[in-house]
């Protein structure tokens, strides 16, 4: 395991997936050791925007890191202007990421909503690869439920094909079933032992509540959520990203956790929803 470090990455290419979603491929040594659920901080060239922009690792391959992001403001607009051959300063790999050991021998449900879909790609690919190896260090089954606003805002729709069963949900029913990801999980009667989720906070709250509702004395469904809240420093120094927790945190001894260091992935039972 490497320490987090600052590097200069080279842009290999950048493509548009939808009107406002971009896929950026960076040649970076951070690709060597990034884990699913971790993120990187990208520094904008414009001195007026000193705060780094956190983006989750979508995938890594052959010294490359793939990032998928929505252009929402000045920082991401600047990222969107990067072209092949440009360089970008980045710090990573940040945060804890998902622990694949929690999937061993389990029926796994991966849930991604909107911009929570990209980090679930790397996680699903890794779990699929572990599944191919077989044996004790392999998930029993893998189901992915992906939620979007509508067909037009869909991206990475086909990317998950081949990893396991894929179920879609959308607000207007233009792709998959009409409703939320939890509506789709209920409608498809998807059975699971462990859930990994990333997406908007209301979705994460609903998924965590579903896991609690379906847990019994015989079967406790573990649920791990990635909280992609707003961040400032991204390295644990400013306390700008704390979330209330049900247990005192080792760092502060109060019921708080820094999402950028102790997270972004948490056992849902640790979060004071
Ligand atoms: C750990 C982590 C991982 C992330 N991963 C991704 C990712 O993989 N893909 C992706 O597209 N985005 C991701 N984000 C969100 C991304 O960091 C922000 O969209 C980005 O920093 C906005 O910068 P900006 O300068 O373009 O926009 P700003 O000018 O800072 O903001 C423009 C608009 O975006 C909204 N916004 C800013 N930050 C966030 C945020 N964190 N969440 C939701 N809305 C925000 C603001 O409220 C505002 O309306 C992640 C955030 C975190 C904390
Ligand atoms: S963003 Fe500064 S402590 Fe997390």
């Amino acid at each position: 395991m490497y320490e987090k470090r600052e590097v200069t990455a080279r842009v290999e290419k950048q493509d548009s997936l939808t009107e406002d979603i971009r896929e950026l491929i960076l040649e970076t040594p951070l690709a060597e050791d990034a884990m699913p659920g971790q993120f990187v901080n990208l520094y904008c060239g414009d001195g007026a925007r000193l705060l780094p922009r956190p983006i989750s690792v979508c995938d890594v391959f052959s010294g490359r890191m793939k990032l998928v992001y929505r252009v929402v403001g000045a920082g991401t607009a600047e990222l969107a202007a990067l072209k092949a051959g440009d360089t970008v300063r980045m710090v990573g790999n940040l945060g804890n990421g998902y622990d694949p050991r929690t999937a061993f021998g389990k029926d796994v449900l991966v849930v991604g909503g909107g911009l929570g879909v990209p980090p679930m790609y790397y996680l699903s690919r890794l779990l699929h690869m572990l599944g191919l190896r077989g044996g004790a260090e392999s998930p029993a089954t893998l189901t992915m439920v992906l939620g979007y606003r509508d067909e037009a805002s869909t991206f990475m729709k086909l990317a998950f094909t081949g990893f396991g069963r894929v179920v879609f949900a959308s607000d207007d029913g233009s792709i998959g079933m009409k409703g939320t990801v939890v509506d789709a999980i209920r409608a498809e009667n998807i059975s699971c032992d462990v859930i990994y989720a990333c997406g908007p906070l209301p979705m994460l709250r609903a998924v965590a509540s579903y896991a609690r509702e379906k847990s019994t004395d015989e079967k406790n469904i573990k649920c791990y959520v990635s909280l992609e809240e707003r961040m400032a420093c991204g390295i644990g120094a400013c306390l700008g990203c704390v979330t209330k927790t049900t247990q005192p945190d080792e760092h502060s001894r109060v019921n708080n956790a820094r999402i950028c260091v102790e997270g972004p992935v948490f056992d849902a039972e640790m979060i004071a929803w």
Side-chain angles (χ1 to χ4, degrees):
M1 192 74 169
Y2 294 82
E3 288 297 304
K4 69 171 181 292
R5 55 214 192 271
E6 180 175 330
V7 300
T8 299
R10 197 187 69 85
V11 175
E12 184 170 275
K13 65 180 190 131
Q14 172 143 238
D15 292 313
S16 297
L17 300 187
T18 70
E19 200 185 330
D20 59 354
I21 304 280
R22 301 287 180 274
E23 179 185 272
L24 179 63
I25 310 287
L26 296 173
E27 207 180 300
T28 169
L30 298 181
E32 276 173 51
D33 58 315
M35 288 301 292
Q38 287 194 299
F39 63 98
V40 293
N41 268 336
L42 298 174
Y43 285 80
C44 302
D46 181 344
R49 288 186 293 281
L50 286 176
L51 287 179
R53 295 314 192 243
I55 304 290
S56 297
V57 178
C58 172
D59 199 15
V60 291
F61 51 94
S62 342
R64 283 19 173 211
M65 181 177 283
K66 183 195 286 188
L67 306 175
V68 171
Y69 65 94
R70 173 169 287 143
V71 182
V72 290
T76 44
E78 200 172 307
L79 293 179
L82 291 171
K83 301 178 304 302
D86 288 346
T87 56
V88 60
R89 209 155 56 85
M90 65 195 291
V91 172
N93 294 298
L94 301 171
N96 55 356
Y98 295 93
D99 182 349
R101 290 171 300 185
T102 53
F104 292 173
K106 302 284 197 299
D107 288 325
V108 176
L109 173 57
V110 168
V111 183
L115 285 166
V117 170
M120 297 329 241
Y121 175 80
Y122 183 18
L123 177 67
S124 302
R125 189 172 68 75
L126 182 75
L127 294 174
H128 171 64
M129 281 165 55
L130 292 173
L132 290 179
R133 285 214 306 236
E137 298 186 354
S138 161
T141 64
L142 177 58
T143 306
M144 291 141 287
V145 177
L146 309 177
Y148 297 93
R149 238 183 2 243
D150 52 32
E151 172 101 61
S153 62
T154 307
F155 55 94
M156 302 185 75
K157 190 172 83 178
L158 300 176
F160 292 75
T161 309
F163 294 160
R165 181 176 174 211
V166 189
V167 173
F168 294 104
S170 57
D171 294 349
D172 65 355
S174 53
I175 165 166
M177 78 157 280
K178 183 173 186 321
T180 66
V181 288
V182 173
D183 293 334
I185 296 166
R186 288 187 196 282
E188 296 289 325
N189 207 10
I190 297 167
S191 157
C192 59
D193 306 306
V194 60
I195 305 178
Y196 304 110
C198 185
L201 203 56
M203 182 202 100
L204 297 180
R205 200 178 281 125
V207 172
S209 152
Y210 173 83
R212 223 174 299 123
E213 175 200 315
K214 293 289 178 186
S215 289
T216 60
D217 289 343
E218 291 76 46
K219 177 164 134 172
N220 180 33
I221 300 179
K222 291 298 294 178
C223 180
Y224 298 94
V225 294
S226 179
L227 302 180
E228 297 197 340
E229 291 298 307
R230 296 209 70 153
M231 283 182 188
C233 72
I235 53 166
C238 73
L239 305 185
C241 65
V242 289
T243 187
K244 286 272 169 233
T245 55
T246 53
Q247 309 281 325
D249 149 64
E250 280 178 21
H251 169 77
S252 61
R253 307 276 173 221
V254 292
N255 288 32
N256 275 340
R258 294 163 301 169
I259 292 173
C260 66
V261 177
E262 282 85 33
V265 178
F266 292 93
D267 180 334
E269 290 305 312
M270 283 290 293
I271 303 299
W273 298 97

